[in-house]
């Protein structure tokens, strides 16, 4: 007589090995994906805090406020919100900065490289309605109803 229990035990071991292999591969892929995501976040932070990005931020803020970064300006400083440095689905990096350490006064930028290798550029953005109102009041000849983002 043939013992069929031995075959079931052998088949069970094969299934267990296959499941274990699938789990190992899944964990490895998950680890690689997590590492890629972490590396991408680190790279975006390094771009957002670079001298090249600082030049863009300051140039844009000085266009909004000709007296920016002086005691007479509406905009005296900016701080990048590290939690709001994200990948833009259309390409580039979205960065939110707070003016004068006030979260209700914000400006957002999209940093991008022309062709992926050129110099860093400001791909557009916007600012809070509260900041826009302050700029309209300080510089009515520059900001005639240009409007900001709704708060």
């Amino acid at each position: 007589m043939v013992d069929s229990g031995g075959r079931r035990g052998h088949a069970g071991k094969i299934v267990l090995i296959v499941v274990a292999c699938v789990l190992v591969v899944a964990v490895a892929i998950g680890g690689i994906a997590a590492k890629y995501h972490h590396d991408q976040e680190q790279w975006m932070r390094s771009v957002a805090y670079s001298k090249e990005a600082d030049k863009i931020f300051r140039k844009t803020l000085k266009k909004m406020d000709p007296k920016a970064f002086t005691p007479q300006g509406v905009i005296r400083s900016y701080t990048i919100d590290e939690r709001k440095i994200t990948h833009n689905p259309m390409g580039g990096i979205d960065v939110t900065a707070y003016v004068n350490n006030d979260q209700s006064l914000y400006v957002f930028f999209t940093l991008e490289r022309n062709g992926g290798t050129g110099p860093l550029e400001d791909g557009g953005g916007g600012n809070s309605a509260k900041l826009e109102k302050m700029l309209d009041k300080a510089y009515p000849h520059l900001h005639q109803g240009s409007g900001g983002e709704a708060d």
Side-chain angles (χ1 to χ4, degrees):
M1 243 181 149
V2 177
D3 180 14
S4 61
R7 287 187 183 164
R8 273 190 255 146
H10 183 67
K13 287 179 185 177
I14 291 174
V15 169
L16 186 60
I17 290 171
V18 169
V19 169
C21 288
V22 168
L23 286 174
V24 167
V25 169
V27 168
I29 290 172
I32 291 168
K35 171 91 171 97
Y36 172 79
H37 181 72
H38 175 75
D39 289 349
Q40 186 179 30
E41 284 183 351
Q42 289 295 100
W43 172 78
M44 288 189 301
R45 277 191 208 101
S46 71
V47 171
Y49 286 104
S50 70
K51 288 180 183 180
E52 195 176 11
D54 178 64
K55 284 182 184 179
I56 290 169
F57 299 150
R58 287 180 175 277
K59 181 179 177 183
T60 300
L61 294 171
K62 285 180 180 179
K63 281 183 186 175
M64 296 167 63
D65 178 358
K67 297 179 184 176
F69 308 110
T70 70
Q72 298 79 27
V74 172
I75 299 170
R76 293 187 196 96
S77 66
Y78 77 90
T79 307
I80 295 171
D81 184 343
E82 190 167 318
R83 298 166 302 167
K84 294 194 176 180
I85 299 172
T86 58
H87 179 262
N88 183 305
M90 298 298 288
I93 303 168
D94 289 335
V95 179
T96 298
Y98 300 120
V99 170
N100 306 337
N101 291 315
D102 183 341
Q103 291 189 4
S104 68
L105 304 175
Y106 61 85
V107 181
F108 56 93
F109 302 86
T110 299
L111 300 174
E112 55 191 17
R113 291 195 187 277
N114 192 357
T117 59
L120 199 60
E121 298 175 353
D122 181 4
N127 51 281
S128 67
K130 183 175 179 182
L131 178 58
E132 191 65 33
K133 286 176 189 173
M134 291 172 70
L135 293 168
D136 285 346
K137 185 176 178 183
Y139 308 103
H141 60 285
L142 291 178
H143 296 266
Q144 296 178 356
S146 57
E149 183 177 270
D151 284 330

